[in-house]
Amino acid sequence: EPPTVSHGQLLFVHEIVARGAAANNLSVRVTGCLRGVDRASCRASLLDPRVAGHSIVVDISQLIDQNLRDDELVQIIGELSIVSGGATVQLLRARTLRNVDGLDLDIFMKAVKAKEAFEQDLAS
Amino acid sequence: FLAYAKVLVSQVLALEEATDDGAELCICWLGARAVQKVEICGVVIEAFRREKRLQLRLDDSTGVVLCVWWDTSFASHQVGRAAAERCAPPLGASMHVQGQLSKFGGEMQIRVENAWMEMDPLAESLHWVEARRLWHHVYKRAFRHPGLARGTRAAHEASTTTVPPSLSRSGAAVAADTSAAG
C-alpha cells in the first residue's frame, strides 16, 4: 500500500512561527513543552523549549486517549494549518505524540544540524 | 554484506538495485557497497495487522518507509518458538528496525528481522549521526581487503631492496595497480 502521509519535517516552534502562512499544510515534527491541555476543546499550546515567547496551538483530538500533562517535553508529528479568525492562528493537527522528557536539547540541536548537513551532502 | 547498514529512511527510498532479476528481496548499492540489510530508527506513524503480518510505517524525519513483520519470522535465537501474532506498537513510539530490503509494487520496503522499542529520547538522533559517520567513512568508500593492503606494502618494500628483477617488476606493477584503483 502506498504511503498515505508525508514524513514530518523537523522544525522548531520559533521556526514555524517565523514561517507564518507559508507553513500551511506542512507535515512537521516539532519538539516543545505542552501547556494548557484542555480535553473539552481538544486544544493545547506547544511552547518552544529554547526560544521564549514562541508557541503554537495544537489540536489534540487524535491524542485524547493519551496521558497528557502540562510542562512535559514532547515531540509531535502532524500537519500545520492556518486558521483565520480575528487573528491568523497556526494550528498543528497532531497525529502522534511521544514524551521526550530528559532529552538533552543541546545534543539534539547538534544532531539535527548534522542530519541536515548529511541530507544536503546526499542531495548534492 | 550480511551486516545491517545503518541508514536514514531517505537513503532507503533512494537506493538503486544492484540486480534486475525482479526478485522481491533486493540487493542495492549504498555508495560503493552492495547491501541487502539495513537498520533504521524512527517513529511509528501507522501500525496495523494484516493476515499473518504486522505492517508498520516509520518516520525518521527524512522519509516514511513501510516495514513488514511476518508472524513467522524469527531472529536466530528465537528458533523453535511457535509463530504468534505480533501486537502493534503504540503510535508515536520510537523503534529500531533491522531487516532485509525488498521491493513490492514499486515501493521499497523493509522485511523486518529484528525490531525493538527505543526508550532513550536521544537514540534516534544518535542513529542519524552514526548513519552519517558510516556513510562518509565506510559505505561510500570501495571495500579493500586488509590482506591486499599488506601484500601491496610488502611488495613495494621488496622492490626497493636487492631482489631478482622479475619480482621487482611485479611488485612495482601491483603497487601501481592499487594506487590507480584507489
Side-chain angles (χ1 to χ4, degrees), chain A residues 1 4 8 29 98 115, chain B residues 46 50 57 59 61 107 124:
Chain A
E1 291 178 24
T4 53
R29 185 198 290 210
R98 69 172 178 135
K115 179 184 74 80
Chain B
E46 283 181 21
R50 287 278 192 258
R57 285 201 196 275
D59 176 343
S61 79
E107 184 192 0
E124 201 182 356

Side-chain angles (χ1 to χ4, degrees), chain A residues 26-61:
Chain A
L26 207 56
S27 289
V28 294
R29 185 198 290 210
V30 199
T31 304
C33 290
L34 267 188
R35 194 65 65 79
V37 175
D38 183 350
R39 289 177 186 276
S41 63
C42 294
R43 291 287 189 269
S45 291
L46 193 69
L47 277 58
D48 196 301
R50 292 174 68 88
V51 182
H54 292 282
S55 66
I56 54 175
V57 179
V58 183
D59 175 352
I60 57 171
S61 52

Side-chain angles (χ1 to χ4, degrees), chain A residues 98, chain B residues 41-44 92-96 116-120 123-124:
Chain A
R98 69 172 178 135
Chain B
C41 184
V43 172
V44 178
S94 177
M95 287 193 74
H96 280 272
W116 62 98
M117 302 255 290
E118 181 56 71
M119 308 313 291
D120 180 353
E124 201 182 356

Side-chain angles (χ1 to χ4, degrees), chain A residues 1-10 29 66 75 77 95-104 107-108 110-115 117-119 121-122, chain B residues 8 10-11 43-46 48 50 55 57 59-64 66 91-94 107 109 118 120-122 124-126 128-129 131-132 135-136:
Chain A
E1 291 178 24
T4 53
V5 289
S6 304
H7 68 272
Q9 186 184 342
L10 254 174
R29 185 198 290 210
Q66 286 188 240
Q75 221 170 53
I77 298 178
R95 282 188 275 123
T96 71
L97 177 147
R98 69 172 178 135
N99 179 288
V100 291
D101 277 338
L103 175 68
D104 186 320
I107 294 178
F108 180 65
K110 287 179 182 167
V112 168
K113 285 192 169 61
K115 179 184 74 80
F118 183 25
E119 288 185 277
D121 283 344
L122 292 174
Chain B
L8 305 179
S10 57
Q11 291 178 281
V43 172
V44 178
I45 60 167
E46 283 181 21
F48 42 92
R50 287 278 192 258
Q55 293 195 184
R57 285 201 196 275
D59 176 343
D60 74 343
S61 79
T62 70
V64 174
L66 178 64
L91 294 189
S94 177
E107 184 192 0
Q109 303 175 354
E118 181 56 71
D120 180 353
L122 260 184
E124 201 182 356
S125 314
L126 295 176
W128 301 333
V129 172
R132 181 190 189 201
W135 168 257
H136 285 295

